[in-house]
Amino acid sequence: AIQLTQSPSSLSASVGDRVTITCRASQGISSALAWYQQKPGKAPKLLIYDASSLESGVPSRFSGSGSGTDFTLTISSLQPEDFATYYCQQFNSYPRTFGQGTKVEIK
Amino acid sequence: QVQLQESGPGLVKPSETLSLTCAVSGYSISSGYYWGWIRQPPGKGLEWIGSIYHSGSTYYNPSLKSRVTISVDTSKNQFSLKLSSVTAADTAVYYCARSVLSYYFDYWGQGTLVTVSS
């Protein structure tokens, strides 16, 4: 199975900060990567698919980039509602796998 | 608007079978897409269990394959999960979700906590 390693595991940031989360795959996955946001007690929400395509209705401050083994999720200006845990997920091969998550906390 | 709702027992005894159903509204399962199950142990990350197409074609996580069955009932517009021989390690919030081409998941249910305990 393809392993996805996210870094950092957690971070503290202030409203307005630019935040970058990295997801590294154990082998090349082309652009077959999605990003999700999960708030406590809620289901994950799709943000980005195909590594860089923004899901409909998701604010443009979220962006994704990368291909092969290295990917990033960037929040250009962190908003209060963005404090959550973020997960990457690969769909290049089965089984579908997720990263361990990155928790974004308020500084 | 697509909505998914999980239902089933919140408590299952060790060695028994966990059974959950996901009712879909706002979209006909027969129209396409894959439909999947994902779980999340308390305080931990997400694990894909498996996915099914309306035709019945399935993909399972090899780590659970020997214990998992996912089925679909297009007449009721719902799909189901059965996980046999459960242990405490199967305690988790179980989510059902719609999967685009069996790739990523664009609509999710709210999740249901299943605890395995005697």
PDB file of all heavy atoms in Angstrom, chain B residues 25-47:
ATOM      1  N   SER B  25     -29.996  10.089  -0.401  1.00  0.00           N
ATOM      2  CA  SER B  25     -31.103  10.896  -0.920  1.00  0.00           C
ATOM      3  C   SER B  25     -30.546  12.006  -1.802  1.00  0.00           C
ATOM      4  O   SER B  25     -29.394  12.403  -1.661  1.00  0.00           O
ATOM      5  CB  SER B  25     -31.926  11.488   0.222  1.00  0.00           C
ATOM      6  OG  SER B  25     -31.123  12.302   1.050  1.00  0.00           O
ATOM      7  N   GLY B  26     -31.371  12.469  -2.725  1.00  0.00           N
ATOM      8  CA  GLY B  26     -30.941  13.528  -3.620  1.00  0.00           C
ATOM      9  C   GLY B  26     -30.161  13.048  -4.828  1.00  0.00           C
ATOM     10  O   GLY B  26     -29.735  13.847  -5.661  1.00  0.00           O
ATOM     11  N   TYR B  27     -29.941  11.767  -4.935  1.00  0.00           N
ATOM     12  CA  TYR B  27     -29.212  11.194  -6.066  1.00  0.00           C
ATOM     13  C   TYR B  27     -29.533   9.708  -6.130  1.00  0.00           C
ATOM     14  O   TYR B  27     -29.572   9.032  -5.100  1.00  0.00           O
ATOM     15  CB  TYR B  27     -27.705  11.391  -5.913  1.00  0.00           C
ATOM     16  CG  TYR B  27     -26.928  10.978  -7.146  1.00  0.00           C
ATOM     17  CD1 TYR B  27     -26.756  11.862  -8.197  1.00  0.00           C
ATOM     18  CD2 TYR B  27     -26.401   9.696  -7.267  1.00  0.00           C
ATOM     19  CE1 TYR B  27     -26.067  11.493  -9.348  1.00  0.00           C
ATOM     20  CE2 TYR B  27     -25.715   9.308  -8.417  1.00  0.00           C
ATOM     21  CZ  TYR B  27     -25.565  10.212  -9.444  1.00  0.00           C
ATOM     22  OH  TYR B  27     -24.889   9.836 -10.586  1.00  0.00           O
ATOM     23  N   SER B  28     -29.730   9.204  -7.327  1.00  0.00           N
ATOM     24  CA  SER B  28     -30.002   7.787  -7.503  1.00  0.00           C
ATOM     25  C   SER B  28     -28.698   7.006  -7.627  1.00  0.00           C
ATOM     26  O   SER B  28     -27.874   7.297  -8.505  1.00  0.00           O
ATOM     27  CB  SER B  28     -30.848   7.560  -8.760  1.00  0.00           C
ATOM     28  OG  SER B  28     -30.957   6.173  -9.039  1.00  0.00           O
ATOM     29  N   ILE B  29     -28.508   6.041  -6.752  1.00  0.00           N
ATOM     30  CA  ILE B  29     -27.295   5.210  -6.804  1.00  0.00           C
ATOM     31  C   ILE B  29     -27.137   4.580  -8.180  1.00  0.00           C
ATOM     32  O   ILE B  29     -26.017   4.431  -8.692  1.00  0.00           O
ATOM     33  CB  ILE B  29     -27.349   4.128  -5.709  1.00  0.00           C
ATOM     34  CG1 ILE B  29     -27.075   4.739  -4.324  1.00  0.00           C
ATOM     35  CG2 ILE B  29     -26.385   3.005  -6.004  1.00  0.00           C
ATOM     36  CD1 ILE B  29     -27.080   3.729  -3.188  1.00  0.00           C
ATOM     37  N   SER B  30     -28.250   4.250  -8.821  1.00  0.00           N
ATOM     38  CA  SER B  30     -28.216   3.596 -10.137  1.00  0.00           C
ATOM     39  C   SER B  30     -27.673   4.503 -11.232  1.00  0.00           C
ATOM     40  O   SER B  30     -27.313   4.025 -12.308  1.00  0.00           O
ATOM     41  CB  SER B  30     -29.625   3.137 -10.537  1.00  0.00           C
ATOM     42  OG  SER B  30     -30.120   2.199  -9.620  1.00  0.00           O
ATOM     43  N   SER B  31     -27.609   5.799 -10.963  1.00  0.00           N
ATOM     44  CA  SER B  31     -27.156   6.746 -11.978  1.00  0.00           C
ATOM     45  C   SER B  31     -25.639   6.755 -12.146  1.00  0.00           C
ATOM     46  O   SER B  31     -25.126   7.335 -13.110  1.00  0.00           O
ATOM     47  CB  SER B  31     -27.645   8.157 -11.636  1.00  0.00           C
ATOM     48  OG  SER B  31     -29.050   8.219 -11.677  1.00  0.00           O
ATOM     49  N   GLY B  32     -24.938   6.145 -11.198  1.00  0.00           N
ATOM     50  CA  GLY B  32     -23.488   6.109 -11.335  1.00  0.00           C
ATOM     51  C   GLY B  32     -22.779   6.409 -10.028  1.00  0.00           C
ATOM     52  O   GLY B  32     -23.378   6.372  -8.965  1.00  0.00           O
ATOM     53  N   TYR B  33     -21.495   6.680 -10.125  1.00  0.00           N
ATOM     54  CA  TYR B  33     -20.602   6.917  -8.992  1.00  0.00           C
ATOM     55  C   TYR B  33     -20.353   5.602  -8.221  1.00  0.00           C
ATOM     56  O   TYR B  33     -21.123   4.643  -8.309  1.00  0.00           O
ATOM     57  CB  TYR B  33     -21.159   7.960  -8.019  1.00  0.00           C
ATOM     58  CG  TYR B  33     -21.060   9.378  -8.533  1.00  0.00           C
ATOM     59  CD1 TYR B  33     -22.128   9.965  -9.226  1.00  0.00           C
ATOM     60  CD2 TYR B  33     -19.912  10.135  -8.336  1.00  0.00           C
ATOM     61  CE1 TYR B  33     -22.038  11.265  -9.706  1.00  0.00           C
ATOM     62  CE2 TYR B  33     -19.817  11.439  -8.805  1.00  0.00           C
ATOM     63  CZ  TYR B  33     -20.886  11.983  -9.487  1.00  0.00           C
ATOM     64  OH  TYR B  33     -20.805  13.265  -9.951  1.00  0.00           O
ATOM     65  N   TYR B  34     -19.291   5.607  -7.508  1.00  0.00           N
ATOM     66  CA  TYR B  34     -19.004   4.561  -6.545  1.00  0.00           C
ATOM     67  C   TYR B  34     -19.447   5.068  -5.177  1.00  0.00           C
ATOM     68  O   TYR B  34     -19.592   6.284  -4.959  1.00  0.00           O
ATOM     69  CB  TYR B  34     -17.503   4.234  -6.525  1.00  0.00           C
ATOM     70  CG  TYR B  34     -17.079   3.274  -7.603  1.00  0.00           C
ATOM     71  CD1 TYR B  34     -16.892   3.690  -8.914  1.00  0.00           C
ATOM     72  CD2 TYR B  34     -16.861   1.924  -7.315  1.00  0.00           C
ATOM     73  CE1 TYR B  34     -16.510   2.809  -9.904  1.00  0.00           C
ATOM     74  CE2 TYR B  34     -16.454   1.031  -8.299  1.00  0.00           C
ATOM     75  CZ  TYR B  34     -16.294   1.483  -9.582  1.00  0.00           C
ATOM     76  OH  TYR B  34     -15.914   0.606 -10.558  1.00  0.00           O
ATOM     77  N   TRP B  35     -19.624   4.136  -4.256  1.00  0.00           N
ATOM     78  CA  TRP B  35     -20.106   4.453  -2.915  1.00  0.00           C
ATOM     79  C   TRP B  35     -19.228   3.710  -1.927  1.00  0.00           C
ATOM     80  O   TRP B  35     -19.017   2.505  -2.061  1.00  0.00           O
ATOM     81  CB  TRP B  35     -21.578   4.048  -2.796  1.00  0.00           C
ATOM     82  CG  TRP B  35     -22.386   4.716  -3.886  1.00  0.00           C
ATOM     83  CD1 TRP B  35     -22.583   4.261  -5.156  1.00  0.00           C
ATOM     84  CD2 TRP B  35     -23.009   6.006  -3.812  1.00  0.00           C
ATOM     85  NE1 TRP B  35     -23.306   5.185  -5.878  1.00  0.00           N
ATOM     86  CE2 TRP B  35     -23.587   6.252  -5.093  1.00  0.00           C
ATOM     87  CE3 TRP B  35     -23.154   6.959  -2.814  1.00  0.00           C
ATOM     88  CZ2 TRP B  35     -24.288   7.422  -5.374  1.00  0.00           C
ATOM     89  CZ3 TRP B  35     -23.850   8.122  -3.100  1.00  0.00           C
ATOM     90  CH2 TRP B  35     -24.409   8.341  -4.361  1.00  0.00           C
ATOM     91  N   GLY B  36     -18.727   4.436  -0.947  1.00  0.00           N
ATOM     92  CA  GLY B  36     -17.703   3.839  -0.109  1.00  0.00           C
ATOM     93  C   GLY B  36     -17.932   3.966   1.385  1.00  0.00           C
ATOM     94  O   GLY B  36     -18.795   4.710   1.853  1.00  0.00           O
ATOM     95  N   TRP B  37     -17.117   3.198   2.112  1.00  0.00           N
ATOM     96  CA  TRP B  37     -17.098   3.242   3.577  1.00  0.00           C
ATOM     97  C   TRP B  37     -15.687   3.597   4.026  1.00  0.00           C
ATOM     98  O   TRP B  37     -14.700   3.046   3.515  1.00  0.00           O
ATOM     99  CB  TRP B  37     -17.512   1.901   4.175  1.00  0.00           C
ATOM    100  CG  TRP B  37     -18.967   1.578   3.996  1.00  0.00           C
ATOM    101  CD1 TRP B  37     -19.537   0.819   3.019  1.00  0.00           C
ATOM    102  CD2 TRP B  37     -20.052   2.034   4.833  1.00  0.00           C
ATOM    103  NE1 TRP B  37     -20.904   0.759   3.193  1.00  0.00           N
ATOM    104  CE2 TRP B  37     -21.242   1.484   4.290  1.00  0.00           C
ATOM    105  CE3 TRP B  37     -20.136   2.815   5.993  1.00  0.00           C
ATOM    106  CZ2 TRP B  37     -22.501   1.713   4.873  1.00  0.00           C
ATOM    107  CZ3 TRP B  37     -21.379   3.050   6.553  1.00  0.00           C
ATOM    108  CH2 TRP B  37     -22.546   2.507   6.002  1.00  0.00           C
ATOM    109  N   ILE B  38     -15.606   4.495   4.986  1.00  0.00           N
ATOM    110  CA  ILE B  38     -14.346   4.935   5.580  1.00  0.00           C
ATOM    111  C   ILE B  38     -14.576   4.957   7.094  1.00  0.00           C
ATOM    112  O   ILE B  38     -15.663   5.313   7.559  1.00  0.00           O
ATOM    113  CB  ILE B  38     -13.969   6.362   5.098  1.00  0.00           C
ATOM    114  CG1 ILE B  38     -13.854   6.399   3.574  1.00  0.00           C
ATOM    115  CG2 ILE B  38     -12.673   6.830   5.737  1.00  0.00           C
ATOM    116  CD1 ILE B  38     -15.078   6.969   2.868  1.00  0.00           C
ATOM    117  N   ARG B  39     -13.551   4.594   7.859  1.00  0.00           N
ATOM    118  CA  ARG B  39     -13.714   4.630   9.301  1.00  0.00           C
ATOM    119  C   ARG B  39     -12.597   5.430   9.959  1.00  0.00           C
ATOM    120  O   ARG B  39     -11.534   5.644   9.373  1.00  0.00           O
ATOM    121  CB  ARG B  39     -13.784   3.223   9.885  1.00  0.00           C
ATOM    122  CG  ARG B  39     -12.482   2.440   9.842  1.00  0.00           C
ATOM    123  CD  ARG B  39     -12.697   1.061  10.464  1.00  0.00           C
ATOM    124  NE  ARG B  39     -11.453   0.284  10.506  1.00  0.00           N
ATOM    125  CZ  ARG B  39     -11.359  -0.935  11.022  1.00  0.00           C
ATOM    126  NH1 ARG B  39     -12.436  -1.529  11.529  1.00  0.00           N
ATOM    127  NH2 ARG B  39     -10.200  -1.562  11.021  1.00  0.00           N
ATOM    128  N   GLN B  40     -12.863   5.838  11.199  1.00  0.00           N
ATOM    129  CA  GLN B  40     -11.913   6.662  11.946  1.00  0.00           C
ATOM    130  C   GLN B  40     -11.985   6.287  13.420  1.00  0.00           C
ATOM    131  O   GLN B  40     -12.925   6.677  14.127  1.00  0.00           O
ATOM    132  CB  GLN B  40     -12.247   8.151  11.751  1.00  0.00           C
ATOM    133  CG  GLN B  40     -11.257   9.096  12.381  1.00  0.00           C
ATOM    134  CD  GLN B  40     -11.526  10.528  11.990  1.00  0.00           C
ATOM    135  OE1 GLN B  40     -12.666  10.960  11.862  1.00  0.00           O
ATOM    136  NE2 GLN B  40     -10.449  11.297  11.784  1.00  0.00           N
ATOM    137  N   PRO B  41     -10.990   5.546  13.912  1.00  0.00           N
ATOM    138  CA  PRO B  41     -10.946   5.242  15.360  1.00  0.00           C
ATOM    139  C   PRO B  41     -10.873   6.544  16.150  1.00  0.00           C
ATOM    140  O   PRO B  41     -10.333   7.540  15.653  1.00  0.00           O
ATOM    141  CB  PRO B  41      -9.667   4.422  15.496  1.00  0.00           C
ATOM    142  CG  PRO B  41      -9.433   3.852  14.135  1.00  0.00           C
ATOM    143  CD  PRO B  41      -9.901   4.903  13.190  1.00  0.00           C
ATOM    144  N   PRO B  42     -11.395   6.547  17.351  1.00  0.00           N
ATOM    145  CA  PRO B  42     -11.396   7.771  18.158  1.00  0.00           C
ATOM    146  C   PRO B  42     -10.014   8.394  18.275  1.00  0.00           C
ATOM    147  O   PRO B  42      -9.052   7.725  18.660  1.00  0.00           O
ATOM    148  CB  PRO B  42     -11.905   7.280  19.521  1.00  0.00           C
ATOM    149  CG  PRO B  42     -12.750   6.096  19.199  1.00  0.00           C
ATOM    150  CD  PRO B  42     -12.076   5.435  18.045  1.00  0.00           C
ATOM    151  N   GLY B  43      -9.910   9.661  17.910  1.00  0.00           N
ATOM    152  CA  GLY B  43      -8.653  10.384  18.008  1.00  0.00           C
ATOM    153  C   GLY B  43      -7.610  10.020  16.974  1.00  0.00           C
ATOM    154  O   GLY B  43      -6.460  10.480  17.062  1.00  0.00           O
ATOM    155  N   LYS B  44      -7.978   9.220  15.974  1.00  0.00           N
ATOM    156  CA  LYS B  44      -7.001   8.769  14.981  1.00  0.00           C
ATOM    157  C   LYS B  44      -7.395   9.203  13.575  1.00  0.00           C
ATOM    158  O   LYS B  44      -8.323   9.978  13.386  1.00  0.00           O
ATOM    159  CB  LYS B  44      -6.849   7.252  15.073  1.00  0.00           C
ATOM    160  CG  LYS B  44      -6.294   6.783  16.409  1.00  0.00           C
ATOM    161  CD  LYS B  44      -5.961   5.302  16.392  1.00  0.00           C
ATOM    162  CE  LYS B  44      -5.355   4.872  17.715  1.00  0.00           C
ATOM    163  NZ  LYS B  44      -5.007   3.423  17.714  1.00  0.00           N
ATOM    164  N   GLY B  45      -6.661   8.685  12.594  1.00  0.00           N
ATOM    165  CA  GLY B  45      -6.864   9.088  11.211  1.00  0.00           C
ATOM    166  C   GLY B  45      -7.899   8.243  10.486  1.00  0.00           C
ATOM    167  O   GLY B  45      -8.586   7.409  11.068  1.00  0.00           O
ATOM    168  N   LEU B  46      -7.987   8.491   9.193  1.00  0.00           N
ATOM    169  CA  LEU B  46      -9.004   7.878   8.348  1.00  0.00           C
ATOM    170  C   LEU B  46      -8.481   6.612   7.677  1.00  0.00           C
ATOM    171  O   LEU B  46      -7.328   6.552   7.238  1.00  0.00           O
ATOM    172  CB  LEU B  46      -9.436   8.883   7.272  1.00  0.00           C
ATOM    173  CG  LEU B  46     -10.041  10.186   7.804  1.00  0.00           C
ATOM    174  CD1 LEU B  46      -9.999  11.266   6.734  1.00  0.00           C
ATOM    175  CD2 LEU B  46     -11.468   9.946   8.272  1.00  0.00           C
ATOM    176  N   GLU B  47      -9.352   5.617   7.583  1.00  0.00           N
ATOM    177  CA  GLU B  47      -9.007   4.357   6.923  1.00  0.00           C
ATOM    178  C   GLU B  47     -10.118   3.999   5.942  1.00  0.00           C
ATOM    179  O   GLU B  47     -11.283   3.862   6.335  1.00  0.00           O
ATOM    180  CB  GLU B  47      -8.824   3.232   7.936  1.00  0.00           C
ATOM    181  CG  GLU B  47      -8.503   1.881   7.290  1.00  0.00           C
ATOM    182  CD  GLU B  47      -8.343   0.764   8.287  1.00  0.00           C
ATOM    183  OE1 GLU B  47      -9.033   0.781   9.329  1.00  0.00           O
ATOM    184  OE2 GLU B  47      -7.540  -0.169   8.029  1.00  0.00           O
TER     185      GLU B  47
END
